[in-house]
Amino acid sequence: MSEELFDVVDQEDRVLFQSPRSVVHANHWLHRAVHIFVFNSRGELLIHRRSATKDEAPLKYTSSASGHLSAGEDYATAAVRELEEELGLKADVEYLGIFPAMGASTSYEHSGLYRAITDETPTFDPEEILSGEFRPLSEIQSMIERDPDDFTHCFRALFRWYLERF
C-alpha cells in the first residue's frame, strides 16, 4: 500500500505542494486535518481514546472522529469520510470553522471543525479507537482540568475554541 499524500499548505491554508505523510510529519510542515464533534440528542459529546498503535498520541482522548485530508481533498468531504471510517456513522455534518495551525500544539495542522448530531450507535474502527463514550461537556471540561495530558493537544485547543463560541 502506498503512503498517503498530503497537501502542504502555508499559514493562510493555501496549497504549496504535495508530499508523503512521513515527510510532512518529519519536517513539521503545515498540512490539513478535520475533526468532527459528534453529539447525541442529549447534548453529550462523543470522545474516544486513541488506539495504542497510533503513531501520535496513543491512548489519549480526542475528538469523536478526526483525520488528515488527502491531497486535493476538501474539508467537508474529509469530514464525511472520517465519520464513516472511524465511527461507521452517516450523518449530516455542520461546518463550524477552520482552526489555524499553531505549531506543535495543533500538530502543524489547519483543522476544519464540524459538528454532527445523531443517536446512532457508533461502530469504532479498532485500528483507530480503543474505546469511546458520550459525555456532558461539563464532565469533559472537568476531565481536562484534572488531567490535561490525558487528551491530545489539538482536542484541548478545539474543545476550548468550541466552548468559547458555542
Side-chain angles (χ1 to χ4, degrees):
M1 188 170 132
S2 64
E3 187 174 4
E4 294 174 276
L5 197 61
F6 293 167
D7 287 329
V8 175
V9 298
D10 64 14
Q11 194 59 47
E12 284 75 44
D13 199 19
R14 295 179 296 233
V15 175
L16 302 173
F17 57 92
Q18 287 78 38
S19 189
R21 172 190 179 114
S22 62
V23 175
V24 171
H25 282 173
N27 288 293
H28 303 298
W29 288 336
L30 299 184
H31 55 291
R32 294 171 169 165
V34 65
H35 289 255
I36 307 94
F37 283 6
V38 176
F39 290 88
N40 61 24
S41 60
R42 294 181 303 282
E44 298 169 322
L45 175 61
L46 175 65
I47 56 174
H48 80 255
R49 191 171 288 280
R50 293 167 59 86
S51 163
T53 60
K54 297 298 288 180
D55 61 342
E56 292 183 9
L59 300 176
K60 304 251 185 213
Y61 280 114
T62 194
S63 304
S64 310
S66 61
H68 293 99
L69 275 67
S70 298
E73 188 175 34
D74 63 63
Y75 287 101
T77 301
V80 170
R81 176 179 53 75
E82 290 293 342
L83 191 62
E84 187 166 359
E85 285 178 3
E86 292 193 358
L87 304 176
L89 295 175
K90 291 186 180 186
D92 292 332
V93 294
E94 175 190 3
Y95 172 77
L96 300 178
I98 303 292
F99 192 82
M102 294 189 299
S105 67
T106 58
S107 301
Y108 303 95
E109 296 167 349
H110 291 291
S111 294
L113 182 59
Y114 289 78
R115 174 172 48 199
I117 301 172
T118 182
D119 286 320
E120 295 295 318
T121 302
T123 303
F124 300 121
D125 176 349
E127 291 185 25
E128 300 282 338
I129 300 171
L130 177 66
S131 63
E133 60 272 336
F134 283 96
R135 301 218 178 184
L137 296 177
S138 60
E139 184 178 327
I140 295 169
Q141 180 64 39
S142 294
M143 291 169 67
I144 292 170
E145 289 169 4
R146 272 193 314 273
D147 190 2
D149 291 335
D150 202 24
F151 292 81
T152 64
H153 291 291
C154 197
F155 175 77
R156 291 193 321 251
L158 288 169
F159 186 72
R160 185 171 43 252
W161 187 74
Y162 181 85
L163 291 180
E164 290 169 359
R165 285 160 181 76
F166 302 98

